[in-house]
Coordinates of all heavy atoms in Angstrom, one line a residue:
M1 N 0.8 -1.2 0.0 CA 0.0 0.0 0.0 C 0.8 1.3 0.0 O 0.4 2.3 -0.6 CB -0.9 0.0 1.2 CG -2.3 -0.4 0.8 SD -3.7 0.4 1.6 CE -3.8 -0.4 3.1
G2 N 2.0 1.2 0.7 CA 2.9 2.3 0.6 C 2.5 3.5 1.6 O 1.7 3.3 2.5
A3 N 3.1 4.6 1.3 CA 3.0 5.8 2.2 C 1.6 6.3 2.2 O 1.0 6.8 3.2 CB 4.0 6.9 1.8
L4 N 0.9 6.3 1.0 CA -0.4 6.8 0.9 C -1.4 6.0 1.8 O -2.2 6.5 2.4 CB -0.9 6.9 -0.6 CG -2.3 7.4 -0.8 CD1 -2.4 8.8 -0.3 CD2 -2.7 7.3 -2.2
G5 N -1.3 4.7 1.7 CA -2.1 3.8 2.5 C -1.9 4.0 4.0 O -2.9 4.0 4.7
F6 N -0.7 4.2 4.4 CA -0.4 4.5 5.8 C -1.0 5.8 6.2 O -1.7 5.9 7.2 CB 1.1 4.5 6.0 CG 1.5 4.9 7.4 CD1 1.4 4.0 8.5 CD2 1.8 6.2 7.7 CE1 1.7 4.4 9.8 CE2 2.2 6.6 9.0 CZ 2.1 5.7 10.0
K7 N -0.8 6.8 5.4 CA -1.3 8.2 5.8 C -2.9 8.2 5.9 O -3.4 8.7 6.8 CB -0.8 9.2 4.8 CG 0.6 9.5 5.0 CD 1.1 10.6 4.0 CE 2.6 10.9 4.1 NZ 3.1 11.8 3.2
L8 N -3.5 7.5 4.9 CA -5.0 7.5 4.9 C -5.5 6.7 6.1 O -6.4 7.1 6.8 CB -5.5 6.9 3.6 CG -7.0 6.7 3.4 CD1 -7.6 8.1 3.5 CD2 -7.3 6.1 2.1
S9 N -4.9 5.5 6.3 CA -5.3 4.7 7.5 C -5.1 5.4 8.8 O -5.9 5.4 9.7 CB -4.5 3.4 7.5 OG -4.8 2.6 6.4
F10 N -3.9 6.1 8.9 CA -3.6 6.9 10.1 C -4.7 8.0 10.3 O -5.2 8.1 11.4 CB -2.2 7.5 10.0 CG -1.8 8.2 11.2 CD1 -1.4 7.5 12.4 CD2 -1.7 9.6 11.3 CE1 -1.0 8.2 13.5 CE2 -1.3 10.3 12.4 CZ -1.0 9.6 13.5
F11 N -5.0 8.7 9.3 CA -6.0 9.8 9.4 C -7.3 9.2 9.8 O -8.0 9.7 10.7 CB -6.1 10.6 8.1 CG -7.1 11.6 8.1 CD1 -6.9 12.8 8.7 CD2 -8.3 11.4 7.4 CE1 -7.9 13.8 8.7 CE2 -9.3 12.3 7.4 CZ -9.1 13.5 8.1
L12 N -7.8 8.2 9.1 CA -9.1 7.6 9.4 C -9.1 7.1 10.9 O -10.1 7.2 11.6 CB -9.4 6.5 8.5 CG -9.7 6.9 7.0 CD1 -9.8 5.6 6.1 CD2 -11.0 7.7 7.0
H13 N -8.0 6.4 11.3 CA -8.0 5.8 12.6 C -8.0 6.9 13.7 O -8.8 6.8 14.7 CB -6.8 5.0 12.8 CG -6.7 4.2 14.0 ND1 -7.6 3.1 14.2 CD2 -6.0 4.2 15.1 CE1 -7.4 2.5 15.4 NE2 -6.4 3.2 16.0
I14 N -7.3 8.0 13.5 CA -7.3 9.1 14.5 C -8.6 9.7 14.6 O -9.2 10.0 15.6 CB -6.2 10.1 14.2 CG1 -4.8 9.4 14.3 CG2 -6.3 11.3 15.0 CD1 -4.5 8.9 15.6
V15 N -9.2 10.1 13.4 CA -10.5 10.9 13.4 C -11.6 10.0 13.9 O -12.3 10.4 14.9 CB -10.8 11.4 12.0 CG1 -12.2 11.9 11.9 CG2 -9.8 12.5 11.6
F16 N -11.8 8.8 13.4 CA -12.9 8.0 13.7 C -12.7 7.3 15.1 O -13.7 7.0 15.8 CB -13.3 7.0 12.6 CG -13.8 7.7 11.4 CD1 -13.2 7.6 10.2 CD2 -15.0 8.3 11.5 CE1 -13.7 8.3 9.1 CE2 -15.6 9.0 10.4 CZ -14.9 8.9 9.2
G17 N -11.5 7.0 15.4 CA -11.2 6.4 16.8 C -11.5 7.4 17.8 O -12.2 7.0 18.9
N18 N -11.2 8.7 17.6 CA -11.6 9.7 18.6 C -13.1 9.9 18.7 O -13.6 10.1 19.8 CB -10.9 11.0 18.3 CG -9.4 11.0 18.8 OD1 -9.1 10.4 19.8 ND2 -8.6 11.6 18.0
L19 N -13.7 9.8 17.5 CA -15.2 10.0 17.5 C -15.8 8.8 18.4 O -16.7 9.1 19.1 CB -15.7 9.9 16.1 CG -17.2 10.0 15.9 CD1 -17.7 11.4 16.3 CD2 -17.6 9.7 14.4
C20 N -15.3 7.6 18.2 CA -15.8 6.5 19.0 C -15.5 6.6 20.5 O -16.4 6.3 21.3 CB -15.2 5.2 18.5 SG -15.7 4.6 16.9
L21 N -14.3 7.1 20.8 CA -14.0 7.3 22.2 C -14.9 8.4 22.9 O -15.4 8.2 24.0 CB -12.5 7.8 22.4 CG -11.5 6.7 22.2 CD1 -10.1 7.3 22.2 CD2 -11.6 5.7 23.3
I22 N -15.1 9.5 22.2 CA -15.9 10.6 22.7 C -17.4 10.1 22.8 O -18.1 10.3 23.8 CB -15.8 11.9 21.9 CG1 -14.4 12.4 22.0 CG2 -16.9 12.9 22.3 CD1 -14.1 13.5 21.0
G23 N -17.9 9.4 21.8 CA -19.2 8.9 21.8 C -19.4 7.9 22.9 O -20.5 7.8 23.6
S24 N -18.4 7.1 23.2 CA -18.5 6.1 24.2 C -18.6 6.7 25.6 O -19.3 6.2 26.5 CB -17.3 5.1 24.1 OG -17.4 4.4 22.9
L25 N -17.8 7.7 25.8 CA -17.9 8.5 27.1 C -19.3 9.1 27.3 O -19.8 9.0 28.4 CB -16.8 9.6 27.1 CG -15.4 9.1 27.2 CD1 -14.4 10.3 27.1 CD2 -15.2 8.4 28.6
I26 N -19.8 9.6 26.2 CA -21.2 10.1 26.3 C -22.2 9.0 26.7 O -23.1 9.2 27.4 CB -21.6 10.9 25.0 CG1 -20.7 12.1 24.9 CG2 -23.1 11.2 25.0 CD1 -20.8 12.8 23.5
Q27 N -22.0 7.8 26.1 CA -22.9 6.7 26.4 C -22.9 6.4 27.9 O -23.9 5.8 28.3 CB -22.5 5.5 25.6 CG -22.7 5.7 24.1 CD -24.2 5.8 23.7 OE1 -24.8 6.8 23.9 NE2 -24.7 4.7 23.3
W28 N -21.8 6.5 28.6 CA -21.7 6.1 29.9 C -22.3 7.2 30.9 O -22.4 6.9 32.1 CB -20.3 5.8 30.3 CG -19.8 4.5 29.8 CD1 -19.2 4.3 28.7 CD2 -20.1 3.2 30.3 NE1 -18.9 3.0 28.5 CE2 -19.5 2.3 29.5 CE3 -20.7 2.8 31.5 CZ2 -19.5 1.0 29.7 CZ3 -20.8 1.4 31.7 CH2 -20.2 0.5 30.8
W29 N -22.8 8.3 30.4 CA -23.4 9.3 31.2 C -24.8 8.9 31.5 O -25.7 9.1 30.7 CB -23.3 10.6 30.5 CG -23.7 11.8 31.2 CD1 -23.9 12.0 32.6 CD2 -24.0 13.1 30.6 NE1 -24.2 13.3 32.8 CE2 -24.3 14.0 31.7 CE3 -24.0 13.6 29.3 CZ2 -24.7 15.3 31.4 CZ3 -24.3 14.9 29.1 CH2 -24.7 15.7 30.2
N30 N -25.0 8.4 32.7 CA -26.3 7.8 33.1 C -27.5 8.7 33.0 O -28.6 8.3 32.6 CB -26.2 7.1 34.5 CG -25.5 5.8 34.5 OD1 -25.4 5.2 33.4 ND2 -24.9 5.5 35.5
S31 N -27.4 9.9 33.5 CA -28.6 10.8 33.6 C -29.1 11.1 32.2 O -30.3 11.2 32.0 CB -28.2 12.1 34.3 OG -27.2 12.8 33.7
R32 N -28.2 11.3 31.2 CA -28.6 11.6 29.9 C -29.3 10.4 29.2 O -30.3 10.5 28.5 CB -27.4 12.0 29.0 CG -27.9 12.5 27.6 CD -26.9 12.1 26.5 NE -26.1 11.0 26.6 CZ -26.6 9.8 26.3 NH1 -27.8 9.5 25.9 NH2 -25.8 8.7 26.5
K33 N -28.9 9.2 29.6 CA -29.5 7.9 29.1 C -31.0 7.8 29.5 O -31.8 7.4 28.7 CB -28.7 6.7 29.6 CG -29.0 5.5 28.9 CD -28.2 4.3 29.3 CE -27.1 4.5 30.2 NZ -26.4 3.2 30.6
R34 N -31.3 8.2 30.7 CA -32.7 8.1 31.2 C -33.5 9.2 30.6 O -34.7 9.1 30.3 CB -32.7 8.2 32.7 CG -32.4 6.9 33.3 CD -32.4 7.0 34.8 NE -31.0 7.4 35.2 CZ -30.8 8.1 36.2 NH1 -31.7 8.6 37.0 NH2 -29.5 8.5 36.5
V35 N -33.0 10.4 30.4 CA -33.7 11.6 29.9 C -34.0 11.5 28.4 O -35.1 11.8 28.0 CB -33.0 12.9 30.3 CG1 -33.7 14.1 29.7 CG2 -32.9 13.0 31.8
V36 N -33.0 11.2 27.7 CA -33.1 11.2 26.2 C -32.7 9.8 25.6 O -31.6 9.7 25.1 CB -32.2 12.3 25.6 CG1 -32.6 12.5 24.1 CG2 -32.4 13.6 26.3
P37 N -33.5 8.8 25.8 CA -33.1 7.4 25.4 C -32.9 7.3 23.8 O -32.0 6.6 23.4 CB -34.2 6.5 25.8 CG -35.4 7.4 26.1 CD -34.8 8.8 26.4
L38 N -33.6 8.2 23.0 CA -33.4 8.1 21.6 C -32.0 8.6 21.2 O -31.4 8.1 20.3 CB -34.5 9.0 20.9 CG -34.4 9.0 19.4 CD1 -34.6 7.6 18.8 CD2 -35.5 9.9 18.8
L39 N -31.5 9.6 21.9 CA -30.1 10.1 21.7 C -29.1 9.0 22.0 O -28.1 8.8 21.3 CB -29.8 11.4 22.5 CG -28.5 12.0 22.3 CD1 -28.3 12.5 20.9 CD2 -28.3 13.2 23.3
H40 N -29.3 8.3 23.1 CA -28.5 7.2 23.5 C -28.4 6.1 22.4 O -27.3 5.6 22.0 CB -29.0 6.6 24.8 CG -28.2 5.4 25.3 ND1 -27.0 5.6 25.9 CD2 -28.4 4.1 25.2 CE1 -26.5 4.3 26.2 NE2 -27.3 3.4 25.8
K41 N -29.6 5.8 21.9 CA -29.7 4.8 20.8 C -29.0 5.3 19.6 O -28.2 4.5 18.9 CB -31.1 4.5 20.6 CG -31.4 3.3 19.6 CD -32.9 3.1 19.6 CE -33.2 1.9 18.7 NZ -34.7 1.6 18.6
S42 N -29.2 6.5 19.2 CA -28.6 7.1 18.0 C -27.1 7.2 18.1 O -26.4 6.8 17.1 CB -29.1 8.5 17.7 OG -30.5 8.4 17.5
I43 N -26.6 7.6 19.2 CA -25.1 7.7 19.4 C -24.5 6.3 19.3 O -23.5 6.1 18.7 CB -24.7 8.4 20.7 CG1 -25.1 9.9 20.6 CG2 -23.3 8.2 21.0 CD1 -24.9 10.6 21.9
G44 N -25.2 5.3 19.9 CA -24.7 3.9 19.9 C -24.6 3.4 18.4 O -23.7 2.7 18.1
K45 N -25.6 3.7 17.6 CA -25.6 3.3 16.2 C -24.4 3.9 15.5 O -23.7 3.2 14.7 CB -26.9 3.6 15.5 CG -28.0 2.7 15.9 CD -29.3 3.1 15.1 CE -30.5 2.3 15.5 NZ -31.7 2.7 14.8
V46 N -24.2 5.2 15.7 CA -23.1 5.9 15.0 C -21.8 5.3 15.4 O -21.0 5.0 14.6 CB -23.2 7.4 15.3 CG1 -21.9 8.1 14.8 CG2 -24.4 8.0 14.6
I47 N -21.6 5.1 16.7 CA -20.4 4.4 17.2 C -20.2 3.1 16.6 O -19.1 2.7 16.1 CB -20.4 4.3 18.7 CG1 -20.3 5.7 19.4 CG2 -19.2 3.5 19.2 CD1 -20.5 5.7 20.9
T48 N -21.2 2.3 16.5 CA -21.1 0.9 16.0 C -20.7 0.9 14.5 O -19.8 0.2 14.1 CB -22.4 0.1 16.2 OG1 -22.7 0.1 17.6 CG2 -22.3 -1.2 15.6
Y49 N -21.4 1.7 13.7 CA -21.1 1.7 12.3 C -19.7 2.4 12.0 O -19.0 1.9 11.1 CB -22.2 2.5 11.5 CG -23.5 1.8 11.7 CD1 -24.7 2.6 11.9 CD2 -23.7 0.4 11.6 CE1 -25.9 1.9 12.0 CE2 -24.9 -0.2 11.7 CZ -26.0 0.6 11.9 OH -27.2 0.0 12.0
V50 N -19.4 3.4 12.7 CA -18.1 4.1 12.5 C -16.9 3.1 12.9 O -15.9 3.0 12.2 CB -18.0 5.4 13.3 CG1 -16.6 5.9 13.4 CG2 -18.9 6.4 12.6
L51 N -17.1 2.4 14.0 CA -16.1 1.5 14.5 C -15.9 0.3 13.5 O -14.8 0.0 13.1 CB -16.5 1.0 15.8 CG -15.4 0.2 16.6 CD1 -15.4 0.5 18.0 CD2 -15.5 -1.3 16.3
I52 N -17.0 -0.3 13.1 CA -16.9 -1.5 12.2 C -16.5 -1.0 10.8 O -15.7 -1.7 10.1 CB -18.2 -2.2 12.2 CG1 -18.4 -2.9 13.6 CG2 -18.2 -3.3 11.1 CD1 -19.7 -3.7 13.8
G53 N -16.9 0.1 10.4 CA -16.6 0.6 9.0 C -15.3 1.3 8.8 O -14.7 1.2 7.7
F54 N -14.8 2.0 9.8 CA -13.6 2.9 9.6 C -12.5 2.7 10.7 O -11.3 2.4 10.3 CB -14.0 4.3 9.6 CG -14.9 4.7 8.5 CD1 -16.2 4.9 8.7 CD2 -14.4 4.8 7.2 CE1 -17.1 5.2 7.7 CE2 -15.3 5.2 6.2 CZ -16.6 5.4 6.4
A55 N -12.8 2.8 12.0 CA -11.8 2.9 13.0 C -11.0 1.6 13.1 O -9.8 1.6 13.1 CB -12.4 3.3 14.3
A56 N -11.7 0.4 13.2 CA -11.0 -0.8 13.4 C -10.3 -1.3 12.1 O -9.2 -1.7 12.2 CB -12.0 -1.9 13.9
P57 N -11.0 -1.2 11.0 CA -10.2 -1.6 9.7 C -9.0 -0.8 9.5 O -7.9 -1.3 9.1 CB -11.2 -1.4 8.6 CG -12.6 -1.6 9.3 CD -12.4 -1.0 10.6
S58 N -9.0 0.5 9.8 CA -7.8 1.3 9.6 C -6.8 1.0 10.6 O -5.6 1.0 10.4 CB -8.2 2.8 9.6 OG -8.7 3.2 10.9
G59 N -7.2 0.6 11.8 CA -6.3 0.1 12.9 C -5.6 -1.2 12.5 O -4.4 -1.4 12.7
F60 N -6.4 -2.0 11.8 CA -5.8 -3.3 11.3 C -4.8 -3.1 10.3 O -3.7 -3.7 10.3 CB -7.0 -4.2 10.7 CG -6.5 -5.5 10.3 CD1 -6.3 -6.5 11.2 CD2 -6.2 -5.8 9.0 CE1 -5.9 -7.8 10.8 CE2 -5.8 -7.0 8.6 CZ -5.6 -8.0 9.5
I61 N -5.0 -2.1 9.4 CA -4.0 -1.8 8.3 C -2.8 -1.2 9.0 O -1.6 -1.5 8.6 CB -4.6 -0.8 7.3 CG1 -5.7 -1.6 6.5 CG2 -3.5 -0.3 6.4 CD1 -6.5 -0.7 5.6
L62 N -3.0 -0.2 10.0 CA -1.8 0.4 10.6 C -1.0 -0.7 11.4 O 0.2 -0.5 11.6 CB -2.3 1.4 11.6 CG -2.8 2.8 11.0 CD1 -3.4 3.7 12.1 CD2 -1.7 3.4 10.3
A63 N -1.6 -1.7 11.9 CA -0.9 -2.7 12.6 C 0.2 -3.3 11.8 O 1.3 -3.6 12.4 CB -1.9 -3.8 13.1
W64 N 0.1 -3.4 10.6 CA 1.1 -4.0 9.7 C 2.2 -3.1 9.4 O 3.3 -3.5 8.9 CB 0.5 -4.6 8.5 CG -0.4 -5.7 8.9 CD1 -1.8 -5.7 9.0 CD2 -0.1 -7.0 9.4 NE1 -2.3 -6.8 9.5 CE2 -1.3 -7.7 9.7 CE3 1.1 -7.7 9.5 CZ2 -1.3 -9.0 10.3 CZ3 1.1 -8.9 10.1 CH2 -0.1 -9.6 10.4
Y65 N 2.1 -1.8 9.8 CA 3.2 -0.9 9.7 C 4.0 -0.8 11.0 O 5.0 -0.1 11.1 CB 2.7 0.5 9.3 CG 2.2 0.6 7.9 CD1 0.9 0.4 7.5 CD2 3.1 0.7 6.8 CE1 0.5 0.5 6.2 CE2 2.7 0.8 5.5 CZ 1.4 0.7 5.2 OH 0.9 0.7 3.9
S66 N 3.5 -1.4 12.0 CA 4.1 -1.3 13.3 C 5.2 -2.4 13.5 O 5.4 -3.3 12.7 CB 3.1 -1.5 14.5 OG 2.7 -2.8 14.6
E67 N 5.9 -2.3 14.6 CA 7.0 -3.3 14.9 C 6.4 -4.6 15.4 O 7.1 -5.6 15.5 CB 8.0 -2.7 15.8 CG 8.7 -1.5 15.2 CD 10.1 -1.3 15.6 OE1 10.7 -2.2 16.3 OE2 10.7 -0.3 15.3
A68 N 5.2 -4.5 15.9 CA 4.5 -5.7 16.5 C 3.2 -5.9 15.8 O 2.2 -5.6 16.4 CB 4.4 -5.6 18.0
P69 N 3.2 -6.4 14.6 CA 1.9 -6.3 13.8 C 0.8 -7.3 14.4 O -0.4 -7.0 14.4 CB 2.2 -6.7 12.4 CG 3.6 -7.4 12.5 CD 4.2 -6.8 13.7
W70 N 1.2 -8.5 14.9 CA 0.2 -9.4 15.4 C -0.6 -9.0 16.5 O -1.8 -9.1 16.5 CB 0.9 -10.8 15.7 CG 1.3 -11.5 14.4 CD1 2.5 -11.6 13.9 CD2 0.4 -12.0 13.4 NE1 2.5 -12.2 12.7 CE2 1.2 -12.5 12.4 CE3 -1.0 -12.2 13.4 CZ2 0.6 -13.1 11.3 CZ3 -1.6 -12.8 12.3 CH2 -0.8 -13.3 11.2
P71 N 0.0 -8.4 17.6 CA -0.9 -8.0 18.7 C -1.8 -6.9 18.3 O -3.0 -6.9 18.7 CB 0.1 -7.5 19.8 CG 1.4 -8.1 19.4 CD 1.4 -8.4 18.0
F72 N -1.4 -5.9 17.5 CA -2.3 -4.8 17.1 C -3.3 -5.3 16.1 O -4.5 -4.8 16.2 CB -1.4 -3.7 16.5 CG -0.7 -2.9 17.5 CD1 0.7 -2.9 17.4 CD2 -1.3 -2.3 18.6 CE1 1.5 -2.2 18.4 CE2 -0.6 -1.6 19.5 CZ 0.8 -1.5 19.4
S73 N -3.0 -6.2 15.3 CA -4.0 -6.7 14.3 C -5.1 -7.5 15.1 O -6.3 -7.4 14.8 CB -3.4 -7.5 13.2 OG -2.7 -8.6 13.7
L74 N -4.6 -8.3 16.1 CA -5.6 -9.1 16.9 C -6.5 -8.1 17.7 O -7.7 -8.4 17.9 CB -4.8 -10.0 17.8 CG -4.2 -11.2 17.1 CD1 -3.4 -12.0 18.1 CD2 -5.2 -12.1 16.4
L75 N -5.9 -7.0 18.2 CA -6.7 -6.0 18.9 C -7.8 -5.4 18.0 O -8.9 -5.3 18.4 CB -5.8 -4.9 19.4 CG -6.4 -3.8 20.2 CD1 -7.1 -4.3 21.4 CD2 -5.4 -2.7 20.5
A76 N -7.5 -5.1 16.7 CA -8.4 -4.6 15.8 C -9.5 -5.6 15.5 O -10.7 -5.3 15.5 CB -7.8 -4.2 14.5
I77 N -9.1 -6.9 15.3 CA -10.1 -8.0 15.1 C -11.0 -8.1 16.3 O -12.3 -8.2 16.2 CB -9.4 -9.3 14.8 CG1 -8.8 -9.1 13.4 CG2 -10.4 -10.5 14.8 CD1 -7.8 -10.3 13.1
A78 N -10.5 -8.1 17.5 CA -11.3 -8.2 18.8 C -12.2 -7.0 18.9 O -13.4 -7.2 19.3 CB -10.4 -8.3 20.0
W79 N -11.7 -5.8 18.5 CA -12.6 -4.6 18.6 C -13.8 -4.8 17.7 O -14.9 -4.5 18.1 CB -11.7 -3.4 18.1 CG -12.2 -2.1 18.6 CD1 -13.1 -1.8 19.6 CD2 -11.7 -0.9 18.0 NE1 -13.2 -0.4 19.7 CE2 -12.4 0.2 18.7 CE3 -10.9 -0.5 17.0 CZ2 -12.2 1.5 18.5 CZ3 -10.7 0.8 16.8 CH2 -11.3 1.8 17.5
I80 N -13.6 -5.3 16.5 CA -14.7 -5.5 15.6 C -15.6 -6.6 16.1 O -16.9 -6.5 16.2 CB -14.2 -5.9 14.2 CG1 -13.6 -4.7 13.5 CG2 -15.4 -6.4 13.3 CD1 -12.9 -5.0 12.2
W81 N -15.0 -7.7 16.6 CA -15.8 -8.9 17.1 C -16.7 -8.5 18.2 O -17.9 -8.8 18.2 CB -14.8 -10.0 17.4 CG -15.5 -11.2 18.1 CD1 -15.5 -11.5 19.4 CD2 -16.3 -12.1 17.4 NE1 -16.3 -12.6 19.6 CE2 -16.8 -13.0 18.4 CE3 -16.7 -12.3 16.1 CZ2 -17.6 -14.1 18.1 CZ3 -17.5 -13.4 15.8 CH2 -18.0 -14.3 16.8
Y82 N -16.1 -7.9 19.2 CA -16.9 -7.6 20.4 C -18.0 -6.5 20.2 O -19.1 -6.5 20.7 CB -16.1 -7.2 21.6 CG -15.4 -8.4 22.2 CD1 -14.0 -8.6 22.0 CD2 -16.1 -9.4 22.8 CE1 -13.4 -9.8 22.5 CE2 -15.5 -10.5 23.3 CZ -14.1 -10.7 23.2 OH -13.6 -11.8 23.7
T83 N -17.7 -5.6 19.3 CA -18.7 -4.6 18.9 C -19.8 -5.3 18.2 O -21.0 -5.0 18.4 CB -18.1 -3.5 18.0 OG1 -17.0 -2.9 18.7 CG2 -19.1 -2.4 17.6
F84 N -19.5 -6.2 17.3 CA -20.5 -6.9 16.5 C -21.4 -7.8 17.5 O -22.6 -7.8 17.3 CB -19.9 -7.7 15.4 CG -20.9 -8.6 14.7 CD1 -21.8 -8.0 13.8 CD2 -20.9 -9.9 14.8 CE1 -22.7 -8.7 13.1 CE2 -21.9 -10.7 14.1 CZ -22.7 -10.1 13.3
K85 N -20.7 -8.4 18.4 CA -21.5 -9.3 19.4 C -22.4 -8.4 20.3 O -23.5 -8.8 20.6 CB -20.5 -10.1 20.2 CG -19.7 -11.1 19.5 CD -20.6 -12.0 18.7 CE -21.3 -13.1 19.5 NZ -22.1 -14.0 18.7
G86 N -21.9 -7.2 20.6 CA -22.8 -6.3 21.4 C -24.0 -5.8 20.6 O -25.1 -5.8 21.1
Y87 N -23.7 -5.6 19.3 CA -24.8 -5.2 18.4 C -25.8 -6.3 18.3 O -27.0 -6.1 18.3 CB -24.2 -4.8 17.0 CG -25.2 -4.5 16.0 CD1 -25.8 -3.3 15.9 CD2 -25.6 -5.5 15.0 CE1 -26.8 -3.0 15.0 CE2 -26.5 -5.2 14.1 CZ -27.1 -3.9 14.0 OH -28.1 -3.6 13.1
Q88 N -25.3 -7.5 18.1 CA -26.3 -8.7 18.0 C -27.1 -8.8 19.3 O -28.2 -9.1 19.3 CB -25.5 -10.0 17.8 CG -25.1 -10.3 16.4 CD -24.5 -11.6 16.3 OE1 -23.8 -12.1 17.2 NE2 -24.7 -12.2 15.1
S89 N -26.4 -8.7 20.5 CA -27.1 -8.8 21.8 C -28.2 -7.7 21.9 O -29.3 -8.0 22.4 CB -26.2 -8.6 22.9 OG -25.3 -9.7 22.9
I90 N -27.9 -6.5 21.4 CA -29.0 -5.5 21.5 C -30.1 -5.8 20.6 O -31.3 -5.7 20.9 CB -28.3 -4.1 21.2 CG1 -27.4 -3.7 22.3 CG2 -29.4 -3.1 20.9 CD1 -26.5 -2.5 21.9
K91 N -29.8 -6.3 19.4 CA -30.9 -6.6 18.4 C -31.7 -7.8 18.9 O -32.9 -7.8 18.7 CB -30.3 -7.0 17.0 CG -29.8 -5.8 16.3 CD -31.0 -4.9 16.0 CE -30.6 -3.7 15.2 NZ -31.7 -2.8 15.0
R92 N -31.1 -8.7 19.6 CA -31.9 -9.9 20.2 C -32.5 -9.6 21.5 O -33.1 -10.4 22.1 CB -30.9 -11.0 20.3 CG -30.5 -11.6 19.0 CD -29.5 -12.7 19.1 NE -29.0 -13.1 17.9 CZ -28.0 -13.9 17.7 NH1 -27.3 -14.3 18.7 NH2 -27.6 -14.2 16.5
K93 N -32.3 -8.3 22.0 CA -32.8 -7.9 23.3 C -32.3 -8.7 24.5 O -32.9 -9.0 25.5 CB -34.3 -7.8 23.3 CG -34.8 -6.9 22.2 CD -36.2 -6.5 22.5 CE -36.8 -5.8 21.3 NZ -36.2 -4.6 20.9
Y94 N -30.9 -9.1 24.4 CA -30.3 -9.8 25.5 C -29.6 -8.7 26.3 O -28.4 -8.8 26.5 CB -29.3 -10.8 25.0 CG -29.8 -12.0 24.3 CD1 -29.1 -12.5 23.2 CD2 -31.0 -12.5 24.6 CE1 -29.5 -13.6 22.5 CE2 -31.5 -13.6 23.9 CZ -30.8 -14.2 22.9 OH -31.2 -15.3 22.2
L95 N -30.3 -7.8 26.9 CA -29.7 -6.8 27.7 C -29.8 -7.1 29.2 O -30.6 -7.5 29.8 CB -30.3 -5.5 27.4 CG -30.2 -5.0 26.0 CD1 -31.0 -3.7 25.7 CD2 -28.8 -4.8 25.5

């Protein structure tokens, strides 16, 4: 992929990873969850789609540019897997 692939992956990972982190912090704010449940649901959907679509795949690509590609690539795969399993649990109403 070269330098362009690294730069694009780095940019996507930083932007969308931070979006996921900020959104996740907002999700843990209990009083807002009770007052505006639709906002909680909407933010959760955005985090899920952004993480599975951009943040984790770009992290997986970046892993292969690091000095320890296997641990970082496994972390990206685990990030996608557990997010997907959480999404499935919510859809099946296993809360």
Side-chain angles (χ1 to χ4, degrees):
M1 257 216 281
L4 179 62
F6 174 80
K7 288 179 182 178
L8 180 61
S9 294
F10 183 75
F11 176 76
L12 290 173
H13 190 69
I14 295 301
V15 170
F16 290 116
N18 282 323
L19 180 68
C20 290
L21 285 172
I22 292 167
S24 296
L25 288 173
I26 293 170
Q27 291 294 78
W28 285 97
W29 187 16
N30 284 333
S31 63
R32 189 215 28 84
K33 193 179 349 182
R34 281 180 270 147
V35 174
V36 191
L38 182 61
L39 181 63
H40 178 79
K41 188 175 181 179
S42 298
I43 291 173
K45 284 181 182 180
V46 169
I47 291 170
T48 300
Y49 298 139
V50 164
L51 191 144
I52 290 175
F54 297 103
S58 62
F60 184 79
I61 292 168
L62 283 175
W64 296 101
Y65 288 97
S66 74
E67 299 212 7
W70 286 105
F72 289 116
S73 59
L74 291 174
L75 180 62
I77 291 167
W79 202 16
I80 292 171
W81 173 255
Y82 286 110
T83 301
F84 178 70
K85 294 306 283 182
Y87 176 79
Q88 276 186 330
S89 294
I90 291 167
K91 285 297 182 186
R92 294 177 183 164
K93 302 198 187 300
Y94 292 148
L95 300 176

